[in-house]
Amino acid sequence: MNSAIHTTTGHSPYFAFFGRHLPRMVRHRLPCVEGAEGKIEIAHQTIHEAHRKVTAEYQSVANRKRGEQKMEVGSLVWIRKETTLPNTCRKLDSKWEGPYKVVGVLAGHSVYVLENPFT
């Protein structure tokens, strides 16, 4: 319940109370390493693999939520504004900016380089 987004506030109760997001749960146990230097390298590889799996899982959830959208170079996109202008009504303030043109795709469709085609 503390991590669910409330429809009226747009934030979770945890965020409203503490002013920060709920920490992520650790899904993999870290290996216990004792002794020789070679075991530290094995532990490092295990931690790296666990990090890769958790990152892929979070990215998969994020992609499902946005419908597995991938923009190509030349596409026109709109950007959702996370903040409102000072001294304006949030309800009436524009929530989207754009359109912007995608001029570059980085990190396997995770990061996009944009430009304003009208300036």
Side-chain angles (χ1 to χ4, degrees):
M1 290 295 288
N2 281 337
S3 63
I5 304 294
H6 199 276
T7 57
T8 58
T9 63
H11 295 292
S12 67
Y14 188 94
F15 184 85
F17 188 75
F18 293 105
R20 59 186 170 88
H21 293 289
L22 187 67
R24 292 181 175 172
M25 304 264 311
V26 177
R27 298 179 191 258
H28 299 279
R29 293 187 60 130
L30 298 177
C32 181
V33 177
E34 297 176 12
E37 292 289 325
K39 290 185 179 180
I40 292 175
E41 182 61 32
I42 293 169
H44 183 269
Q45 289 173 353
T46 305
I47 291 169
H48 180 71
E49 182 64 23
H51 179 265
R52 189 189 63 72
K53 286 179 182 178
V54 169
T55 301
E57 182 180 331
Y58 281 121
Q59 188 174 24
S60 173
V61 170
N63 285 340
R64 274 197 311 272
K65 287 185 176 180
R66 69 174 175 244
E68 301 285 349
Q69 296 176 357
K70 293 183 179 179
M71 302 299 149
E72 301 299 329
V73 173
S75 300
L76 292 177
V77 296
W78 289 79
I79 299 175
R80 181 180 165 90
K81 292 178 7 181
E82 298 296 328
T83 59
T84 58
L85 295 173
N87 302 323
T88 60
C89 176
R90 288 191 319 167
K91 185 182 264 186
L92 300 176
D93 192 21
S94 173
K95 293 177 179 55
W96 297 91
E97 288 183 345
Y100 290 96
K101 183 177 182 180
V102 177
V103 293
V105 178
L106 306 173
H109 287 277
S110 296
V111 179
Y112 298 99
V113 179
L114 305 174
E115 74 175 11
N116 187 340
F118 301 107
T119 60

